Amino acid sequence: MPRSKEQFEEMRNVTREKIHSAAMQLFVNQGFGSTNVQDIADTAGISIGLLYRHYKNKDQLFNELVAYAVGGLKRNITFFESDQSPKKLMAQFVHEVYTDMISGEELTHLLILINQSLLAGAATASKHYEEILQVNARLLDSTAQLIRKGQERGEFHSGDAQEMAALFYASIQGLAQMKVILKSNYTMPSPSILTAFLFKERE
């Protein structure tokens, strides 16, 4: 029986997911410059011709992955700007980061991919370079504002909120790098460790 339009679309989506997963793995572990289209096709388990039906080159694929990551950062900004308890919002965010990093590679790879785009962006005129800079700055500011609210409510330790936000994201980014380097020897710190410098203990 001929395949329906929906079946073709499902097959297309499955193939794109394979390509995304393979590309992220290779970009993170051996770098954008050292990865070629044939590497991505081989890792995805598809022909190079099929890959070219989806992407004309690896730059287009890289930019699509970065755009996906930037979308995640924007959702985090919206999340932190909600009216819920700062401690509850931060605890939920850290729990999601912890769960994602112990259950798979996607978050780790996306974090490193964003950094790669920033480091190479000025030299390669990355399509999303300026946008990533702006979104990162907004995320840092919204997190610092959340920390200030938590401090005002007595939920967070005192201190410079901007510095605390920078330390928080530096910790997560560093953990992503360690996870890639150490592989099976990596141990993800618990959510309580990640928030120890932020949350006040109940009195």
Side-chain angles (χ1 to χ4, degrees), residues 72 75-76 79-80 84 88-104 107-108 111 168 172 188 191 194:
R75 287 190 292 276
N76 289 339
F79 178 71
F80 281 154
Q84 295 183 57
K88 181 179 179 181
L89 288 171
M90 184 60 77
Q92 183 177 335
F93 176 73
V94 170
H95 176 73
E96 290 174 1
V97 168
Y98 174 80
T99 302
D100 286 348
M101 289 186 71
I102 64 171
S103 63
L107 176 61
T108 300
L111 288 171
F168 175 69
I172 294 174
M188 181 68 186
L194 293 174

Side-chain angles (χ1 to χ4, degrees), residues 47-118:
S47 69
I48 193 167
L50 180 56
L51 190 149
Y52 277 125
R53 289 182 197 171
H54 292 267
Y55 299 99
K56 63 182 181 181
N57 52 47
K58 70 173 183 177
D59 295 77
Q60 183 187 27
L61 173 54
F62 182 79
N63 280 323
E64 183 170 306
L65 292 173
V66 172
Y68 176 73
V70 170
L73 295 181
K74 290 179 178 178
R75 287 190 292 276
N76 289 339
I77 293 170
T78 301
F79 178 71
F80 281 154
E81 291 177 347
S82 71
D83 294 328
Q84 295 183 57
S85 156
K87 187 172 184 178
K88 181 179 179 181
L89 288 171
M90 184 60 77
Q92 183 177 335
F93 176 73
V94 170
H95 176 73
E96 290 174 1
V97 168
Y98 174 80
T99 302
D100 286 348
M101 289 186 71
I102 64 171
S103 63
E105 305 291 336
E106 182 175 346
L107 176 61
T108 300
H109 289 171
L110 287 173
L111 288 171
I112 295 175
L113 202 69
I114 287 175
N115 262 13
Q116 286 184 351
S117 183
L118 286 174

